[in-house]
Amino acid sequence: MERKPHFFRRELPPREVSPTPVAVLLVAVLLLNALLYLYLSKFHRSLGRAESDPSLCPFGYFKLGAVKNCSPWLSCEAINREVRKLKCVGEGAVKKVFLSEWKENKVVLSQLTNSELKEDFLHGLKMLKALQSKHVVRLLGYCEQQFTILTEYHPLGSLRGLNETLNIPRYKGMNTWHRRLMLAIDYVSIIRYLHSSPLGTLVMCDSNDLDKVLSQYLLSSDFHILVNDLDALPLVNKSAGKLVKCGHRELQGEFVAPEQRWPYGEEMPFEDDLMPPYDEKTDIWKIPDVSNFFLGHVEGSDIVRLHLFDIHAACKKQDPAERPSAQEVLDTYRKVLTLLIREAAMPGTREML
């Protein structure tokens, strides 16, 4: 009798399954996202330039350079005795500015030049004292009797020289869309701080053209922006019906907001008493133009402009009430920065996949 062959299934030993490249790359992506999250969290804490700064001294005190202890603001006597003028480095309508020296530290001494503008000078001093924060140049001392203010020295100077600074070999590595967008975020952070300051809603009135705006701010050695000139900073109080006018002369040009221009046409001569006042939304109108300067024409800056197109269009609304707040602009800028950093980080991972 013919036997039928018995078929049986042979159990193969379990095979070790090594992690697939996809799984490894998935872990890499997760790690990359985690690192990116940590970086951005740290970045926003510093970039946002929070008003509360643990390194700042109590009101009425300062510290300079590597010194750990806080010193009281210098008095008239201390300024006259301890501060030595080196050279004049600038002069405006209100004051003359001298590079000076105090205890082997470079400092800036500002003195009133036009007695008719002493109220503007004293207003700037009042603002400087009240608004000390990471957004504002550090006050070191003052003498009201002699109309003198002493502040920290920043060798990179005002923002008017930004492009020249970025062309210096030492700083060329900073000339990127990323760093330039960070400067724009600094600028909007300052506007947001002024609009919600401890004193109330303040309007940056010394801003009738781009060059004037840039002259009001300093570039620090660690590439942050500080507001330096606070002479023209009136207060808006909408609940009390208090609006502002930036000066008593007619303002013209596309840089200033529509509500800052004479509304009654060329056939009617300008009269300050007939000029309607306005609010802080004039600062919002100017943000796109100032940011456009910051972004420059480096690789990637046009992509940034594309992402900011909608918020900038909103800033240019003819009706001030329809423009976003400085906080909304700042939030959008930060979101765009986060998005672009993530997009810059991910292409390499996608290529690995």
Side-chain angles (χ1 to χ4, degrees):
M1 177 181 246
E2 190 177 355
R3 281 176 144 189
K4 292 185 181 177
H6 291 283
F7 293 96
F8 61 91
R9 204 166 77 187
R10 195 165 134 200
E11 295 290 335
L12 295 173
R15 192 173 56 177
E16 286 189 12
V17 180
S18 60
T20 65
V22 173
V24 172
L25 289 174
L26 188 58
V27 172
V29 170
L30 292 173
L31 286 172
L32 179 62
N33 278 326
L35 290 171
L36 187 61
Y37 173 80
L38 291 172
Y39 165 75
L40 290 171
S41 298
K42 181 180 178 182
F43 171 77
H44 284 321
R45 284 196 296 272
S46 62
L47 184 63
R49 314 285 283 164
E51 287 72 57
S52 56
D53 177 10
S55 69
L56 289 175
C57 296
F59 182 81
Y61 290 78
F62 73 93
K63 57 183 174 182
L64 200 57
V67 178
K68 292 184 179 180
N69 297 325
C70 294
S71 303
W73 286 338
L74 301 186
S75 63
C76 297
E77 182 184 357
I79 290 174
N80 291 332
R81 185 181 65 247
E82 300 173 11
V83 176
R84 182 170 65 95
K85 289 181 184 176
L86 299 178
K87 63 177 179 178
C88 179
V89 292
E91 183 173 3
V94 178
K95 53 186 178 283
K96 187 177 284 189
V97 180
F98 296 89
L99 175 62
S100 305
E101 191 174 57
W102 175 74
K103 294 187 176 179
E104 299 182 354
N105 293 292
K106 294 286 194 303
V107 293
V108 174
L109 188 72
S110 302
Q111 292 184 317
L112 178 69
T113 54
N114 186 345
S115 59
E116 294 180 1
L117 298 174
K118 63 182 181 182
E119 293 303 319
D120 291 341
F121 185 89
L122 293 175
H123 176 74
L125 173 58
K126 177 185 173 183
M127 294 294 105
L128 195 54
K129 288 193 289 184
L131 298 175
Q132 284 295 290
S133 68
K134 293 183 75 171
H135 302 291
V136 179
V137 69
R138 189 169 302 166
L139 179 64
L140 309 180
Y142 63 92
C143 180
E144 286 193 35
Q145 297 93 313
Q146 297 173 9
F147 297 99
T148 299
I149 299 174
L150 193 70
T151 54
E152 188 175 17
Y153 172 63
H154 292 278
L156 296 182
S158 81
L159 289 177
R160 284 190 295 192
L162 175 63
N163 288 324
E164 289 75 12
T165 297
L166 290 172
N167 280 327
I168 297 172
R170 179 181 175 185
Y171 297 113
K172 278 192 173 180
M174 298 284 196
N175 197 15
T176 63
W177 70 263
H178 176 259
R179 180 60 66 172
R180 284 176 170 272
L181 179 54
M182 287 169 66
L183 290 175
I185 290 175
D186 262 2
Y187 169 72
V188 177
S189 296
I190 292 172
I191 298 299
R192 196 267 307 162
Y193 174 62
L194 295 178
H195 288 184
S196 56
S197 82
L199 301 176
T201 301
L202 299 168
V203 181
M204 194 66 175
C205 265
D206 257 347
S207 56
N208 298 335
D209 57 62
L210 179 61
D211 192 65
K212 187 64 174 174
V213 170
L214 299 175
S215 71
Q216 309 302 302
Y217 298 87
L218 296 172
L219 182 63
S220 68
S221 296
D222 62 350
F223 267 72
H224 280 294
I225 296 175
L226 300 165
V227 61
N228 180 52
D229 196 332
L230 303 173
D231 294 346
L233 210 60
L235 181 68
V236 167
N237 188 340
K238 291 179 186 174
S239 59
K242 183 179 180 181
L243 300 177
V244 303
K245 287 192 287 187
C246 291
H248 304 287
R249 294 179 297 173
E250 183 178 3
L251 300 178
Q252 296 177 323
E254 292 299 314
F255 188 82
V256 297
E259 63 271 23
Q260 292 185 281
R261 302 173 210 148
W262 180 242
Y264 302 117
E266 293 182 4
E267 62 278 358
M268 186 174 179
F270 176 82
E271 286 187 45
D272 184 42
D273 291 340
L274 298 178
M275 179 67 198
Y278 33 83
D279 62 20
E280 77 282 1
K281 290 299 185 73
T282 58
D283 289 333
I284 304 300
W285 171 273
K286 298 161 189 172
I287 286 176
D289 298 294
V290 180
S291 289
N292 188 54
F293 167 80
F294 286 132
L295 292 175
H297 300 285
V298 297
E299 183 180 355
S301 62
D302 286 342
I303 298 296
V304 179
R305 286 186 180 89
L306 186 63
H307 282 276
L308 295 177
F309 180 85
D310 288 341
I311 192 67
H312 283 174
C315 291
K316 291 293 187 178
K317 294 279 189 182
Q318 291 291 311
D319 183 356
E322 294 181 4
R323 295 173 204 153
S325 67
Q327 183 65 62
E328 290 171 321
V329 179
L330 180 59
D331 291 342
T332 301
Y333 273 41
R334 287 173 170 167
K335 286 176 184 175
V336 167
L337 177 63
T338 301
L339 172 67
L340 291 177
I341 289 175
R342 183 174 287 122
E343 285 183 353
M346 295 307 288
T349 307
R350 282 199 298 268
E351 287 171 11
M352 290 168 64
L353 289 169

